């Protein structure tokens, strides 16, 4: 056995105090014990600053997602359900090829932006009316097949999870890098799936992507997925 040192017990200190009443004086003793350090430790100020900064960042990411969602809703409000028989038949045919049981509706929006798809009770494809007169039949098939591929892969559901994780860990640069690479891989997978299911030539897809270079990049990826994606990944998609 190893003998352990025994610490001495705290002893009270006797302090004499002189008490006086009128002309009478007497001595009294008061027992004083040493004060122990039982006070709770104070929280360092920098922890409050870190928590405050993290909370502000999370709120900022949430506001950004809310603005993007509002932008999508505004595009839906300005759109109109298409009655074009070719587009309706095209969506029906491609939905069967991609095993999509909830057939989406297709709406035309004014302008020349990028097609995008939204999930929900009724999946919706927003197609700029400019595409009807600027794209060939093969390019239009690939564009719609690309959006349907996102529904087939449930990319929008996964994107919401990624958006939540990025909002919580927004301070870590590797999170932003991983998000960027994830979205690039997502677009490459949908391009490949669209080419395989439509039977179109990869060269047709490359020409379609070249036409998208001048289109604005899509920022509302958590609420909707646009074919143009990020401009920084278009070169990688064309080469692939």
């Amino acid at each position: 056995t190893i003998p352990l040192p025994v610490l001495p017990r705290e002893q009270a200190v006797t302090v004499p105090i002189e008490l006086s009443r009128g002309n009478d004086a007497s001595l009294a003793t008061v027992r004083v014990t040493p004060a122990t350090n039982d006070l709770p430790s104070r929280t360092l100020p920098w922890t409050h600053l870190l928590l405050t900064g993290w909370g502000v960042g999370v709120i900022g990411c949430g506001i950004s997602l809310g603005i993007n969602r509002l932008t999508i809703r505004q595009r839906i409000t300005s759109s109109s359900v298409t009655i074009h028989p070719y587009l309706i038949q095209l969506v029906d045919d491609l939905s069967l090829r991609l095993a999509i049981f909830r057939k989406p509706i297709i709406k035309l929006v004014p302008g020349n932006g990028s097609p995008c798809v939204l999930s929900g009770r009724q999946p919706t494809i927003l197609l700029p009316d400019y595409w009807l007169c600027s794209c060939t039949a093969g390019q239009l098939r690939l564009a719609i097949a690309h959006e349907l591929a996102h529904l087939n892969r449930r990319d929008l559901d996964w994107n919401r999870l990624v958006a939540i994780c990025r909002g919580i860990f927004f301070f870590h640069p590797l999170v932003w890098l991983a998000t960027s690479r994830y979205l690039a891989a997502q677009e490459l997978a949908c391009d490949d799936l669209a080419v395989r299911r439509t039977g179109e030539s990869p060269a047709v897809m490359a020409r379609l992507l070249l036409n998208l270079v001048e289109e604005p990049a899509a920022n509302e990826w958590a609420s909707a997925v646009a074919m143009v994606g990020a401009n920084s990944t278009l070169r990688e998609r064309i080469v692939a």
Side-chain angles (χ1 to χ4, degrees), residues 138-153:
Q139 290 175 341
L140 193 59
R141 282 174 58 86
L142 283 173
I144 295 179
H146 176 96
E147 302 305 327
L148 292 175
H150 284 295
L151 294 178
N152 176 271
R153 290 165 37 85

Side-chain angles (χ1 to χ4, degrees), residues 72-82 106-110 124-127:
I72 289 295
R73 295 304 170 189
Q74 291 176 348
R75 293 184 66 183
I76 294 177
T77 303
S78 63
S79 64
S80 58
V81 179
T82 181
I106 185 166
K107 292 186 176 183
L108 296 179
V109 293
T124 304
I125 296 177
L126 299 181
L127 180 68

Side-chain angles (χ1 to χ4, degrees), residues 1-24:
T1 60
I2 300 175
L4 298 176
V6 179
L7 297 178
R9 296 181 58 185
E10 295 179 350
Q11 299 180 354
V13 179
T14 303
V15 179
I17 298 177
E18 182 178 355
L19 302 176
S20 62
R21 287 184 180 179
N23 295 327
D24 299 332

